[in-house]
């Protein structure tokens, strides 16, 4: 494709993504479906250009007015993620001069907002939590996330899969915390690999793997994944149960559960029972009350822990949306807790980095439910032979009460988890 035409495509995709009517990944996917002639390299450049614009939106908004042409064209030029000479072939002399001037701008001369590229309402809670680590977090969010795999313990060993991937030209390292994880240096196409088709690997962030591990579901137990979604954690829990017992995967979205079915077929698991529910007080839930050994509540949340992958989240969320989520999270956790039998384990988790969705929910639940005893996540993970478990945890009392993962510290998405045992 001619550089000028390609830059037009970039500009159009930027325009569509910045409407914020749908998640950026679905906007990009739809654009590719509508433009099937695009090759793999063109698709990669288009996607990375859009994500760069979303990551650095405030900075690019600051630089764009000095350029010429439509705003989305200027943003696409600033965020262009391909060879410079290819881009230059699409630019006027005036645009080239403007871009070179933009390149000369030094980071240290910018206002904080043009450096951190975060909405103001998000800055304060992050600075309060992280203090001197605020800027390292910002730096980690500018770079996209790597690709983590979970090796299916039911039918494969991590070392064997790592060697098999290496033979296929895919380099990986063992994840530092999850005993089932591999981290890839690149983002290769996995779906045609034998390891993928026979269910030996699944794409899953290391942090998400640790949430499933915290539940520590045993052979023969009755277990519920309360907000199962597309089932990444469900599959990890089922493998941990060695395909025994009964694992319910509940979600209010039948569409999300449909995405679990092909993954389930590949995994070789037969102990998983997906079921769509109307709400957290559904009759199916009531029928299981007091009968379940372990419950994972991976609650619907702001998703702000996934900003490396989903930079549009920071522009699509708002304080009001978070307030509404907190009400929902509180109700879901309370309903899910009724499923547990005496001695059962409850895990509450989010992929958020906001205390309002995390520590505040967990502490309020503990205060309202004295029959649920909080467990130290650091101790639970140490018992499960996770290395340096204490470095993954934080809390107001001993520092080990809650799992708290950060991109800049742990190389994972941002995750939170709290664990209780019912008396």
């Amino acid at each position: 494709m001619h550089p000028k035409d390609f830059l037009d495509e970039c500009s159009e995709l930027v325009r569509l993504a910045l409407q914020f009517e749908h998640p950026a990944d679905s906007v990009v996917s739809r654009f590719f479906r509508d433009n099937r002639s695009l090759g793999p390299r063109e698709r990669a450049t288009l996607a990375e250009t859009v994500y760069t614009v979303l990551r650095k939106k405030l900075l690019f908004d600051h630089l764009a007015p000095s350029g010429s042409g439509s705003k989305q064209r200027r943003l696409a030029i600033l965020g262009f993620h391909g060879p410079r000479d290819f881009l230059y072939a699409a630019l006027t002399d005036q645009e080239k001069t403007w871009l070179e001037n933009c390149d000369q701008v030094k980071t240290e001369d910018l206002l904080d907002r043009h450096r951190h590229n975060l909405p103001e309402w998000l800055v304060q809670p992050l600075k309060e939590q992280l203090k001197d680590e605020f800027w390292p977090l910002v730096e980690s969010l500018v770079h996209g996330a790597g690709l983590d795999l979970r090796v299916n313990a039911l039918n494969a060993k991590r070392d064997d899969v790592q060697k098999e991937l290496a033979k296929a030209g895919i380099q990986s390292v063992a994840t530092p915390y999850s005993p089932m994880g591999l981290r890839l240096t690149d983002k290769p196409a996995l779906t045609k690999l034998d390891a993928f088709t026979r269910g030996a690997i699944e794409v899953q962030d290391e942090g998400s793997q640790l949430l499933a591990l915290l539940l520590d579901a045993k052979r023969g137990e009755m277990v519920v994944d309360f907000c199962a979604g597309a089932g990444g954690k469900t599959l990890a829990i089922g493998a941990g149960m060695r395909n025994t017992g009964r694992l319910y995967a509940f979600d209010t979205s039948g569409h999300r559960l449909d995405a679990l079915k092909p993954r389930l077929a590949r995994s070789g698991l037969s102990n998983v029972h997906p079921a769509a529910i109307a709400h957290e007080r559904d009759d199916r839930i009531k029928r299981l009350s007091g009968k379940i050994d372990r419950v994972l509540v991976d609650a619907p949340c702001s998703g702000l822990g996934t900003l490396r992958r989903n930079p549009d989240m920071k522009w699509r969320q708002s304080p009001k949306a978070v307030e509404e989520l907190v009400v929902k999270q509180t109700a879901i956790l309370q309903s899910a807790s009724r499923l547990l039998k005496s001695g059962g384990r409850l895990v509450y988790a989010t992929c958020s980095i906001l205390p309002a969705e995390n520590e505040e929910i967990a502490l309020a639940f503990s205060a309202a439910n004295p029959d649920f005893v909080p467990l130290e996540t650091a101790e639970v993970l140490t018992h499960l032979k996770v290395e340096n478990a204490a470095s993954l945890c934080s809390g107001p009392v001993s520092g080990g009460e809650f799992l708290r993962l950060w991109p800049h510290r742990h190389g994972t998405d941002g995750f939170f988890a709290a664990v209780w045992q019912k008396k």
Side-chain angles (χ1 to χ4, degrees):
M1 190 184 294
H2 192 278
K4 285 183 179 169
D5 296 333
F6 188 68
L7 184 57
D8 288 344
E9 297 282 356
C10 285
S11 305
E12 175 59 11
L13 186 50
V14 166
R15 183 186 71 78
L16 292 169
L18 290 179
Q19 289 173 350
F20 297 122
E21 288 172 5
H22 303 284
D25 58 352
S26 62
V27 173
V28 171
S29 298
R30 172 126 197 211
F31 189 83
F32 291 165
R33 280 199 304 276
D34 293 344
N35 295 272
R36 293 190 183 277
S37 60
L38 294 166
R41 191 174 295 173
E42 291 167 323
R43 287 172 182 237
T45 301
L46 279 159
E48 278 306 316
T49 296
V50 167
Y51 280 105
T52 302
V53 170
L54 291 165
R55 285 191 183 101
K56 300 185 176 182
K57 183 177 178 295
L58 296 183
L59 173 61
F60 290 174
D61 281 345
H62 170 62
L63 298 172
S66 56
S68 56
S70 69
K71 182 173 181 185
Q72 64 256 24
R73 179 182 169 87
R74 282 173 269 160
L75 294 174
I77 292 168
L78 289 166
F80 190 78
H81 206 272
R84 243 321 146 82
D85 53 351
F86 183 87
L87 174 62
Y88 268 31
L91 302 184
T92 64
D93 289 343
Q94 188 181 354
E95 285 174 327
K96 287 176 197 166
T97 305
W98 165 71
L99 183 57
E100 282 159 9
N101 289 337
C102 291
D103 288 343
Q104 302 304 314
V105 175
K106 291 188 171 66
T107 306
E108 56 269 26
D109 295 338
L110 295 166
L111 294 173
D112 277 6
R113 65 191 303 266
H114 300 142
R115 287 177 61 200
H116 61 57
N117 287 284
L118 294 167
E120 279 308 315
W121 66 271
L122 194 51
V123 173
Q124 205 48 43
L126 291 178
K127 282 187 171 174
E128 282 170 9
Q129 291 179 85
L130 291 169
K131 312 221 169 16
D132 294 346
E133 288 184 70
F134 173 74
W135 290 107
L137 171 69
V138 166
E139 182 61 25
S140 74
L141 298 180
V142 170
H143 306 290
L147 189 65
D148 291 354
L149 305 178
R150 177 184 58 80
V151 174
N152 184 355
L154 197 63
N155 61 21
K157 289 191 168 59
R158 179 160 74 172
D159 290 351
D160 295 343
V161 170
Q162 192 173 16
K163 287 173 190 157
E164 184 183 341
L165 292 175
K167 278 184 186 166
I170 297 169
Q171 298 308 312
S172 64
V173 293
T175 48
Y177 309 111
S178 167
M180 303 94 72
L182 289 171
R183 182 160 294 155
L184 307 190
T185 39
D186 298 313
K187 291 187 180 174
L190 298 169
T191 52
K192 299 207 167 48
L193 291 176
D194 183 52
F196 182 84
T197 52
R198 72 170 193 274
I201 53 171
E202 273 289 337
V203 174
Q204 187 180 21
D205 185 80
E206 182 183 22
S208 178
Q209 296 178 34
L210 291 174
L211 298 186
L213 201 64
L214 266 180
L215 196 64
D216 194 20
K218 304 278 198 260
R219 289 171 183 262
E221 289 186 331
M222 295 261 283
V223 180
V224 168
D225 186 352
F226 203 80
C227 307
K233 290 179 230 17
T234 312
L235 298 174
I237 294 164
M241 294 166 72
R242 307 305 298 173
N243 207 12
T244 63
R246 199 167 180 87
L247 172 54
Y248 293 98
F250 290 136
D251 202 276
T252 54
S253 166
H255 178 66
R256 281 200 294 267
L257 287 174
D258 285 344
L260 167 59
K261 286 173 185 167
R263 301 173 80 184
L264 198 51
R266 279 199 312 274
S267 72
L269 292 172
S270 56
N271 63 337
V272 178
H273 303 271
I277 55 173
H279 42 68
E280 71 272 10
R281 301 174 311 285
D282 192 289
D283 282 346
R284 284 177 188 245
I285 308 295
K286 287 178 182 166
R287 282 201 293 273
L288 292 171
S289 181
K291 296 177 180 172
I292 303 298
D293 294 288
R294 292 168 201 263
V295 177
L296 170 63
V297 180
D298 181 15
C301 70
S302 63
L304 291 167
T306 68
L307 288 180
R308 298 181 307 165
R309 301 171 200 282
N310 306 307
D312 56 312
M313 282 301 216
K314 58 189 175 184
W315 312 119
R316 293 175 58 238
Q317 289 293 5
S318 68
K320 187 173 186 304
V322 172
E323 279 174 28
E324 290 168 2
L325 282 164
V326 165
V327 173
K328 189 184 280 190
Q329 289 155 352
T330 304
I332 288 173
L333 179 57
Q334 195 61 52
S335 284
S337 71
R338 296 186 188 113
L339 290 166
L340 284 151
K341 58 167 74 162
S342 298
R345 177 175 292 188
L346 175 64
V347 176
Y348 170 78
T350 74
C351 55
S352 173
I353 44 183
L354 294 176
E357 298 183 83
N358 296 334
E359 287 88 348
E360 290 172 27
I361 297 265
L363 294 169
F365 178 81
S366 293
N369 296 273
D371 54 331
F372 280 84
V373 181
L375 301 183
E376 297 249 333
T377 54
E379 280 184 21
V380 174
L381 290 171
T382 300
H383 174 70
L384 292 166
K385 298 188 170 50
V386 171
E387 303 221 358
N388 299 316
S391 69
L392 306 173
C393 303
S394 67
V397 183
S398 70
E401 294 95 324
F402 304 128
L403 179 73
R404 202 61 150 88
L405 301 175
W406 294 93
H408 67 289
R409 275 188 207 163
H410 307 112
T412 66
D413 286 343
F415 281 104
F416 170 87
V419 187
W420 296 266
Q421 184 165 354
K422 189 174 182 183
K423 283 182 183 172

